[in-house]
């Protein structure tokens, strides 16, 4: 066998996922994963630090990629515009080459194992920190940068979860847009109804300075 | 020594915090904590599962308390109204009896240790799940319930962080209100400016269907 195994990473991911789902994360060992993939443990450790990391391959580069995407965006875009325009391309880049089936099985494995859930939470936390710094670098004030970062990550997480729940239909960009619209609706109108009542509209106008007393 | 040590829990918390900050979380052992507090390891394990849990004492009951507060709130309150009215009382209950100094030192210890940061993330995740279920129980649709839960937790986390950054001034309820106002402003107006420019207003009108072409 040569030093470089074409597709080794993907084969190890699939083998690990099969074993995590069949017999549980705790019961699965690295030698079992490599045996199933037909590869050596040496190859495994060239790609992953440990068995937990198999399901998060490549994600250590997400913060840097997020920073690059933000730096490349037109400076005129405000935080919410940037989120509205940037989330779908970012998601496409993050999930590139991943089938819906792989992502559904991956989620099932993560949901079943506390150590994987904690790793998933940490991933989103690191993504949020990168976004916050990216907004600051665009001249956004600290509080808004932090809030915008959390809104971006929350929208991304919830949209991906809904998209998987619906087995990919509608597609991810459409689900991201729907989720963001629901978020804006909730925060600006209270989320009680899809349409403003006269009472709510007055409240809204008063909040935005468009309604005067008397 | 009697079976019940008055103030044992608080003494163990203070001792653990002193040691985590002085010599590091990894280097600190349960016998060191109990020696410093003048108590036995048996007493320690009556209160905490392990040394990580010392800084999260009582927080396992937070989800149930959140559920109770939500069930007791007037049914007429929409999700954002409930968040606006409920976060400050919830925060007061969660931090009852905790000095600002303790909370600042606790945050410094958590920030310094990945295992404690993961535990903190998990705590907020459990809080979000409880809030989501609470909103569902009030008849809120699934997507709005999930978004509202995340907004509540995000606002709470960011407000507490700012309040600690500012050493308690302004007070936590005021900081929560400011944070929530900034969140609403960001999501409804894009967060570029505290006032809408004509350009932004046109965008906003177009988004909400109030502006027609031509």
């Amino acid at each position: 066998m040569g030093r470089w195994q074409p597709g080794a990473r993907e084969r190890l991911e699939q083998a690990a996922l099969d074993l995590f789902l069949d017999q549980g994360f705790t019961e699965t060992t690295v030698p079992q994963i490599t045996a199933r993939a037909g590869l050596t443990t040496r190859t495994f450790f060239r790609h992953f630090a440990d068995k937990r990391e198999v399901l998060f391959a490549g994600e250590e580069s997400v913060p840097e990629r997020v920073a690059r995407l933000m730096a490349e965006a037109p400076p005129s875009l405000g935080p919410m515009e940037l989120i509205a325009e940037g989330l779908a391309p970012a998601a496409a880049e993050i999930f590139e080459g991943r089938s819906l089936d792989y992502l559904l099985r991956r989620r099932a494995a993560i949901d079943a194992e506390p150590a994987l859930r904690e790793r998933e939470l940490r991933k989103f936390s690191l993504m949020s920190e990168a976004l916050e710094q990216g907004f600051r670098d665009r001249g956004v004030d600290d509080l808004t940068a932090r809030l915008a970062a959390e809104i971006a990550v929350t929208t991304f997480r919830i949209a991906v979860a809904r998209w998987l729940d619906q087995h990919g239909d509608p597609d991810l960009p459409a689900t991201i847009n729907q989720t963001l619209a629901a978020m804006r609706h909730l925060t600006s109108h209270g989320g009680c109804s899809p349409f403003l009542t006269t009472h709510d509209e007055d409240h809204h106008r008063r909040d935005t300075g468009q309604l005067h007393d008397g």
Side-chain angles (χ1 to χ4, degrees), chain A:
Chain A
M1 288 196 296
R3 190 175 174 278
W4 176 252
Q5 296 282 338
R9 193 145 140 161
E10 290 69 24
R11 277 157 67 193
L12 290 164
E13 285 170 359
Q14 290 289 352
L17 202 43
D18 288 345
L19 290 164
F20 292 169
L21 290 170
D22 282 356
Q23 63 184 37
F25 175 82
T26 312
E27 288 68 27
T28 299
T29 65
V30 170
Q32 286 174 344
I33 295 168
T34 56
R36 191 179 184 103
L39 295 164
T40 63
T41 57
R42 198 174 146 167
T43 300
F44 181 94
F45 289 113
R46 205 146 54 212
H47 289 278
F48 311 108
D50 56 45
K51 66 176 176 172
R52 197 170 78 154
E53 290 306 307
V54 182
L55 298 191
F56 299 93
E59 294 192 352
E60 66 282 0
S61 70
V62 167
E64 289 94 311
R65 283 148 71 198
V66 162
R68 178 176 50 68
L69 283 172
M70 291 179 86
E72 287 170 2
S76 62
L77 291 184
M80 286 304 289
E81 291 170 312
L82 185 69
I83 292 171
E85 299 199 4
L87 270 185
E93 197 174 312
I94 290 169
F95 293 138
E96 195 194 347
R98 299 294 187 191
S99 69
L100 183 64
D101 180 66
Y102 174 81
L103 292 172
L104 279 168
R105 283 158 46 81
R106 178 177 175 278
R107 178 171 71 163
I110 290 172
D111 285 349
E113 171 56 40
L116 294 172
R117 287 208 304 273
E118 289 204 353
R119 179 64 180 76
E120 179 92 335
L121 289 175
R122 188 155 71 82
K123 176 186 81 178
F124 287 123
S125 175
L126 293 173
M127 204 190 288
S128 179
E129 283 171 26
L131 283 159
E132 184 182 347
Q133 188 56 51
F135 283 121
R136 280 215 195 97
D137 292 345
R138 295 173 66 86
V140 175
D141 69 274
D142 285 358
L143 176 56
T144 303
R146 186 141 191 213
L147 289 166
E150 292 289 341
I151 284 169
V153 169
T154 296
T155 303
F156 178 81
R157 283 174 55 198
I158 295 178
V160 169
R162 289 179 68 217
W163 176 65
L164 292 176
D165 288 345
Q166 296 157 357
H167 287 247
D169 182 42
D171 67 13
L172 187 52
T175 310
I176 288 172
N177 285 341
Q178 286 168 358
T179 307
L180 202 55
M183 168 81 88
R184 280 169 178 266
H185 184 268
L186 170 66
T187 50
S188 54
H189 306 310
C192 311
S193 148
F195 300 101
L196 291 173
T197 64
T198 309
H199 174 75
D200 289 334
E201 198 167 16
D202 285 351
H203 262 294
H204 178 64
R205 284 208 192 123
R206 190 152 52 231
D207 288 344
T208 55
Q210 290 166 27
L211 192 79
H212 298 279
D213 287 334

